Amino acid sequence: VPQLAWQVLSEKSIKELAALPVQEAARKLAAVLSLGHHEESLWESAQLDYFVAGYWFTKEHRFTNEQTSAFFSVLHKLLVNLKEKRLSLSDNIQELQKHMSGVGVSRATALRCFSPEQAVQTVRYVTSSLFQHYRLFEFLFTEEQQEEQLVAKLPVCLPPDPATLSPPPLEEALTLDLYQRCLAPQQPPEQEQEDVQREGDLEKCDEDDVQLLNVSAEEVKSMMETV
């Protein structure tokens, strides 16, 4: 009769689990059992909780590594029967009875590493953890999980204009004159000529305004009559 030990959990994996705290042990079990989406999938999350609880049950009852591996094989087979084979509760109970038959009496049994006491403990645990909630597990593994989309708005600051090599003068506490001489982007020659011409026009306008200030009211009236 094929032994159930080492079919799901290897001896190396069990030794690694023994040295880990609760959270790390759960992550290790998720990796070993290929439950990589347990944080998003309700199905995988329920399976991981089922196996993590079973692992701590074996630690509390001081199972050996071989007994722990055999215990996990039992849990795994019963869950596969429910999830993939769609066995009814009565059929799955019969499967458990087949695994437990001959424990403590014959060496030709799949759980020959179990004592009669451990067989009783296993049956009680499976009854309270799986069989009493069988309809709930059936619903979980047969119904499609509802998908939810979460949308969050994330404000993004755009990078500065690449034409500006340095921050504006106020951000560096520089005077405008120093900024224009050392840091301001250089203007093309055509733009500089336009700026110079514009400044010349402004200076000419200022000179005309000064001349008008020196003209008296009588001279303005005479100029208007001539026109």
Side-chain angles (χ1 to χ4, degrees):
V1 178
Q3 294 299 299
L4 292 179
W6 318 125
Q7 291 188 7
V8 178
L9 283 183
S10 65
E11 187 173 9
K12 178 182 177 182
S13 298
I14 295 176
K15 289 181 178 179
E16 291 175 350
L17 286 169
L20 298 176
V22 178
Q23 296 297 331
E24 294 297 327
R27 295 190 185 96
K28 178 65 178 179
L29 279 174
V32 172
L33 300 172
S34 301
L35 301 175
H37 301 285
H38 62 91
E39 294 183 352
E40 301 89 17
S41 172
L42 184 60
W43 300 337
E44 292 193 5
S45 177
Q47 292 178 73
L48 182 60
D49 289 344
Y50 177 72
F51 288 118
V52 169
Y55 172 71
W56 289 107
F57 172 83
T58 61
K59 288 181 68 68
E60 290 174 358
H61 290 79
R62 302 182 182 277
F63 280 27
T64 65
N65 291 347
E66 183 179 8
Q67 292 166 347
T68 299
S69 179
F71 179 83
F72 259 80
S73 296
V74 172
L75 298 186
H76 186 266
K77 284 183 175 294
L78 295 177
L79 206 61
V80 169
N81 291 341
L82 188 158
K83 181 182 176 183
E84 299 180 6
K85 297 182 180 181
R86 298 288 195 271
L87 292 188
S88 64
L89 175 58
S90 59
D91 291 338
N92 224 356
I93 292 176
Q94 291 179 2
E95 289 293 318
L96 179 61
Q97 290 175 345
K98 291 179 183 178
H99 295 317
M100 294 297 172
S101 62
V103 172
V105 178
S106 171
R107 298 288 295 175
T109 175
L111 293 171
R112 67 184 181 189
C113 61
F114 273 18
S115 65
E117 181 183 358
Q118 290 168 335
V120 172
Q121 292 173 344
T122 300
V123 171
R124 288 176 177 174
Y125 177 81
V126 172
T127 300
S128 62
S129 64
L130 179 64
F131 291 159
Q132 289 185 355
H133 308 284
Y134 206 80
R135 294 292 298 274
L136 180 61
F137 278 97
E138 282 182 326
F139 179 82
L140 176 65
F141 293 130
T142 56
E143 295 295 324
E144 291 292 334
Q145 181 177 345
Q146 183 179 0
E147 295 184 0
E148 296 183 2
Q149 293 184 351
L150 302 179
V151 179
K153 294 183 179 181
L154 179 64
V156 178
C157 296
L158 298 177
D161 186 357
T164 304
L165 301 180
S166 299
L170 291 180
E171 293 192 12
E172 292 188 348
L174 300 177
T175 62
L176 180 61
D177 178 64
L178 183 61
Y179 174 78
Q180 290 178 342
R181 284 190 292 106
C182 302
L183 299 176
Q186 298 296 325
Q187 296 181 350
E190 297 180 357
Q191 184 67 29
E192 291 181 358
Q193 293 178 0
E194 293 179 0
D195 293 343
V196 170
Q197 183 178 359
R198 188 179 300 108
E199 291 177 358
D201 294 340
L202 293 175
E203 291 177 358
K204 184 178 179 180
C205 292
D206 293 341
E207 292 176 358
D208 294 339
D209 293 341
V210 172
Q211 292 177 1
L212 289 174
L213 291 174
N214 296 328
V215 177
S216 63
E218 295 294 336
E219 290 175 341
V220 174
K221 182 177 181 182
S222 176
M223 290 171 63
M224 295 297 294
E225 290 176 353
T226 304
V227 174

